Amino acid sequence: MTELLYFTIIGLCIGCGYALVALGISTLFNGTGVLNFAQGDIVMLAALFVAVRTTAGGGYLSGFLEAVAVVLVASVLLGLLFVRPAIARRRDIDLIIVGTIGVSTVLANLANNVLGSETYRLASPVTSQAVKLESFSISFDYFAILLAAGLLMAAFFVFYRKTDVGLQMRAMSADVDAARLSGVQIARLTVVGWVFAGIVGVFAGVLLGTVLLVSASMGVALTISGFAAAMIGGLRHPYGAVLGGVIIGLAENYAAGYLNTAARQAIAPLIIMAVLLVLPQGILAGRGAKARVV
């Protein structure tokens, strides 16, 4: 029973980290209709940058702010790169998907060549203390992920429901031609969508980096887990990322704890295939939901 409780708490907290990766994917998809297969590498870039800076003796805050600056610059450039495909995405959806896969490869290679191929573990920016529960202890870093994920989810929920920019991004995602005729600035909002995805990626990176091993090769695994989480909740439902992330986190930790590491690595791909076959619109979309044209 104690073992089950331990795996459940760890899975729940890491699942919230996956939910942040999924939130970045869902945020961009809802705002621009772009499926970003490079989101995991954006998360990796932020985590690895902070890890390298702090290992070299730099302060955590300065490393975090520099990582924010690097990711924001990269996000703006990517937003500008994908403006035209986003505007004409009904014709260029294949180009967008291949393009984001290409971005993923470029980011991974740049990180490997510039920041190095070493593996790191980020030190906690808050405290090294652990929370004592029954006969085991859990690092406070896990609960920090839980708290930060909840705050970010709430902020984005308000943004998409209550702000003009958020409502315009939702309108653009639903029908880009109608949104353009209504006066929505498609090019500007495409860049804004990438910037938001980048911001979420920074927070996901520095939070997950305290509980996962950080390296230039971690991006693909994070992208797969993030996509699985986003698909479970439904790509059109950013807050569904919480549900999906928790399911992925729990399933992976149960598999690792009771089976082996190989079983854990197979969880996210298997869930993606299952969701595509059984409920492609996600749990929150419902079985009767009609697929939208992207």
Side-chain angles (χ1 to χ4, degrees):
M1 187 64 183
T2 300
E3 190 178 61
L4 176 62
L5 179 61
Y6 176 80
F7 290 146
T8 299
I9 294 174
I10 295 296
L12 178 65
C13 295
I14 292 181
C16 286
Y18 291 155
L20 290 179
V21 182
L23 178 63
I25 294 171
S26 183
T27 293
L28 190 60
F29 183 73
N30 272 280
T32 66
V34 172
L35 278 173
N36 181 19
F37 285 87
Q39 185 64 25
D41 291 280
I42 293 174
V43 175
M44 172 276 295
L45 181 63
L48 186 59
F49 191 92
V50 176
V52 170
R53 293 287 290 116
T54 53
T55 302
Y60 185 92
L61 180 60
S62 61
F64 173 76
L65 294 177
E66 290 171 6
V68 170
V70 169
V71 171
L72 284 181
V73 170
S75 298
V76 170
L77 292 176
L78 289 172
L80 293 174
L81 177 67
F82 282 91
V83 163
R84 181 167 302 203
I87 292 175
R89 62 179 178 268
R90 294 178 188 276
R91 300 190 305 272
D92 299 333
I93 185 63
D94 293 336
L95 172 63
I96 294 173
I97 292 175
V98 172
T100 60
I101 293 174
V103 169
S104 171
T105 303
V106 169
L107 289 178
N109 285 326
L110 279 176
N112 187 71
N113 292 325
V114 176
L115 299 176
S117 58
E118 292 82 2
T119 299
Y120 301 89
R121 172 67 67 85
L122 275 176
S124 174
V126 182
T127 178
S128 59
Q129 298 297 316
V131 178
K132 182 72 173 179
L133 296 171
E134 293 193 1
S135 60
F136 58 88
S137 298
I138 296 179
S139 170
F140 180 79
D141 294 328
Y142 287 97
F143 296 100
I145 295 174
L146 191 66
L147 176 62
L151 292 175
L152 283 172
M153 291 290 176
F156 273 85
F157 178 81
V158 172
F159 170 77
Y160 275 113
R161 297 287 178 174
K162 303 296 183 182
T163 68
D164 289 339
V165 175
L167 293 172
Q168 288 178 30
M169 291 177 72
R170 292 177 64 194
M172 186 177 79
S173 176
D175 192 326
V176 66
D177 295 323
R180 186 191 300 110
L181 293 174
S182 300
V184 174
Q185 299 296 317
I186 305 299
R188 179 174 65 87
L189 289 186
T190 297
V191 176
V192 170
W194 278 94
V195 168
F196 282 173
I199 292 173
V200 175
V202 171
F203 281 100
V206 297
L207 289 168
L208 285 172
T210 61
V211 298
L212 301 177
L213 294 177
V214 177
S215 70
S217 61
M218 68 185 294
V220 173
L222 288 175
T223 296
I224 294 173
S225 295
F227 257 103
M231 291 177 66
I232 289 173
L235 283 167
R236 296 280 178 185
H237 300 272
Y239 39 89
V242 178
L243 174 63
V246 167
I247 291 174
I248 296 295
L250 290 174
E252 285 190 352
N253 274 273
Y254 290 151
Y258 293 112
L259 297 175
N260 51 53
T261 303
R264 173 178 183 164
Q265 294 172 344
I267 291 295
L270 286 174
I271 289 179
I272 288 177
M273 289 189 290
V275 170
L276 286 173
L277 289 172
V278 179
L279 203 62
Q281 297 303 307
I283 294 174
L284 297 185
R287 291 183 176 273
K290 295 181 179 180
R292 298 189 188 193
V293 178
V294 176

